[in-house]
Amino acid sequence: MGTPFEDMTEIDRLVHDPSRLAITSALSACESADFLFLQRVTGLSKGNLSSHLAKLEKGEIVKIVKTGERRPRTVVSLTESGRTTVAEHWDRLMRLHEAARTWNPSEA
Amino acid sequence: MVNAYELDRLDRIHRSTAEHAHRRGLYLVAYGVLLGFLAFDGVRENHVVPVLLFAVLLAAVSGYYRKTFGTVVPRRDGARFRAFWLIPVLLSGVLVVIIAANVTGTPGYLTGGLIFAVFLASIGGPPWSGRRHYPVSAMVLMALTLAPLGVLTPSGEHPFASADTRWQLLVVGALLVVNGLLDHRALVRSLPRPAREEE
């Protein structure tokens, strides 16, 4: 019998970063949110948030739409595949957390 | 590996986002102020000033929330959208209560108290998670409506039945203001100030 941590090899590194996990947690609770809200809710600086969003966009987890010419707004939402990836990641995370909590090394 | 503290933080972020629309309590404060104004006889005769003030307040609140906290579009399958199905049920209930009150000759302030109490309780839930001030306000309103407060006035009439100053509207307006401020406090506490740019 292996350890519960063997499942960690399958963890999606793109989503699992703490800052990106915070961003996707917020986006999974809504249809979309703008840049300012994500900055407030995650506590990240503008530069950090931009950098993480760019990575998530490159990985097709989020979709970024820039609207308004006079008052520019950046609206971020999870893509369909991104929503599935985030949900699966959370399921795995919760399973791992539960397994780690109840795991007894002497029984392994 | 994400530890329990981190899971708790992520859960808070998830809930703060899901409940963002509910926590923008200054909108409710604007409605409370409007009701407060309408409670006075002189203001009721001229609707233009309070309605204009209300429109200005709503615009100011909307701008404040957009600039300070940003915007969130709630999930289409979330509790907020499910609650829209309750609106026709509540409106039908109000109609039934008004008809029954007319038939039985129940004083208007008792009917108004019941309707406003149900309205207050239904704004915050159920299950009123983190928003217990709504059912508490509803109970306070019902208690004030049913209490024999007439013994405290020179006329012996219940203050809520007064025609000059609508005390019931004033109390409901004050309760909306208090509940709105409590929701707003929850919003401010749930969203930390943005981090400064690193040098």
Side-chain angles (χ1 to χ4, degrees), chain B residues 14-130:
Chain B
H14 187 87
R15 266 190 294 120
S16 296
T17 309
E19 293 171 9
H20 181 71
H22 296 300
R23 290 177 176 176
R24 292 181 303 175
L26 294 185
Y27 284 110
L28 205 57
V29 171
Y31 281 99
V33 169
L34 176 71
L35 275 187
F37 272 119
L38 292 177
F40 296 100
D41 211 20
V43 182
R44 270 204 309 278
E45 286 162 10
N46 181 10
H47 283 79
V48 181
V49 176
V51 168
L52 267 179
L53 183 76
F54 178 61
V56 170
L57 261 178
L58 279 190
V61 167
S62 168
Y64 165 73
Y65 276 132
R66 197 180 54 246
K67 283 178 190 164
T68 314
F69 299 102
T71 49
V72 175
V73 178
R75 289 290 299 268
R76 278 188 279 274
D77 55 354
R80 187 177 165 81
F81 281 84
R82 280 197 299 272
F84 281 120
W85 292 102
L86 275 177
I87 293 173
V89 177
L90 280 174
L91 288 179
S92 310
V94 167
L95 271 178
V96 169
V97 169
I98 290 173
I99 291 167
N102 280 336
V103 170
T104 56
T106 311
Y109 75 90
L110 287 179
T111 318
L114 177 67
I115 290 171
F116 280 128
V118 172
F119 167 70
L120 264 172
S122 55
I123 295 178
W128 300 292
S129 169

